Amino acid sequence: MQIDIGILKSKINTDNEELLKVLIEKYSFFDPNAKFSTAYKRHRWNGRKNFITANGIFPTGILPNILSDLKLIDCTPRLNYVYEQDKNQYILQSVDAFIYRDIQTDLLNNALKQKRGIINLPTGAGKTLIIAGLIKSLNKKTILITHSKSILTQTYEFLSECGIKDLGICYGEGYIHGNIMLCTSKSISKVLD
């Protein structure tokens, strides 16, 4: 078995169709909105959303989970990176006027080591401070997407307080260019060019 790892999508290459079927089933869920779909009503769709396609393609973000599941059955796939990996070692940078809590430091160091992941934290856990720490530590062009203009402006102000330079902002009424772009999901198309 081989897994071709891309930046956004990856692919499981195996001749074990049963194993692939089990993974597809495990990484699927019933869509609660299926009952409103014509295809579901006419019995042309079972109402399930699959994270893994019949061809073995899946979002790269769930790769650690898939590898963990494969390890349980003593399956160690060959990993083939189909993009140039970032070989840089990143060191956690402090953010002006703020001190990280221990859990934030651990999370930031792990994120910098893994170079990808999802950070899911409750309200008040310091997500914006963590974002500031990642931006300062990576020192790369960055796009940060929010769903509302109010969160966008709050984040912009906070990152400015943190001493992050070259900030840009993009929303319906305005656009200021920077290497660190903050955008609403509706205005992201202005930045991608």
Side-chain angles (χ1 to χ4, degrees):
M1 173 186 284
Q2 176 175 306
I3 299 180
D4 294 329
I5 303 169
I7 293 174
L8 297 176
K9 298 282 184 185
S10 295
K11 185 172 194 266
I12 300 169
N13 297 301
T14 182
D15 55 0
N16 187 339
E17 292 180 25
E18 278 303 308
L19 177 60
L20 187 57
K21 284 180 185 176
V22 169
L23 288 171
I24 289 169
E25 181 62 28
K26 177 166 184 178
Y27 291 93
S28 70
F29 65 95
F30 182 78
D31 183 349
N33 294 319
K35 59 188 172 195
F36 304 112
S37 165
T38 305
Y40 181 75
K41 289 176 186 176
R42 293 185 179 169
H43 305 287
R44 285 187 265 142
W45 174 44
N46 65 3
R48 296 191 68 77
K49 296 266 187 169
N50 298 321
F51 284 103
I52 303 175
T53 69
N55 296 333
I57 297 171
F58 64 92
T60 301
I62 65 171
L63 177 64
N65 301 71
I66 292 172
L67 292 175
S68 176
D69 289 339
L70 291 173
K71 189 174 186 177
L72 292 173
I73 60 168
D74 294 325
C75 178
T76 307
R78 186 173 49 249
L79 303 179
N80 176 36
Y81 292 88
V82 293
Y83 65 94
E84 188 174 324
Q85 285 185 274
D86 183 356
K87 304 252 193 258
N88 292 327
Q89 297 295 323
Y90 297 102
I91 298 169
L92 180 58
Q93 302 295 312
S94 63
V95 174
D96 298 350
F98 293 95
I99 298 172
Y100 302 122
R101 290 182 236 145
D102 290 342
I103 194 164
Q104 292 169 329
T105 302
D106 293 344
L107 189 147
L108 282 160
N109 282 325
N110 191 37
L112 292 170
K113 180 182 173 193
Q114 298 295 323
K115 299 183 179 118
R116 76 169 43 241
I118 296 171
I119 298 172
N120 183 11
L121 298 170
T123 303
K127 290 183 286 290
T128 312
L129 179 59
I130 289 168
I131 290 167
L134 288 172
I135 290 170
K136 279 196 103 169
S137 300
L138 293 171
N139 194 27
K140 292 181 173 224
K141 283 188 175 189
T142 306
I143 297 176
L144 179 65
I145 304 168
T146 66
H147 67 279
S148 74
K149 183 180 170 185
S150 62
I151 292 174
L152 181 78
T153 54
Q154 287 173 4
T155 305
Y156 183 84
E157 290 168 7
F158 183 81
L159 294 178
S160 296
E161 284 179 42
C162 291
I164 297 194
K165 307 289 184 224
D166 204 13
L167 280 175
I169 192 166
C170 179
Y171 53 93
E173 301 86 46
Y175 178 91
I176 301 168
H177 179 73
N179 279 326
I180 315 298
M181 288 301 300
L182 285 74
C183 304
T184 60
S185 54
K186 294 177 183 174
S187 62
I188 188 72
S189 61
K190 295 179 185 176
V191 174
L192 294 179
D193 292 336

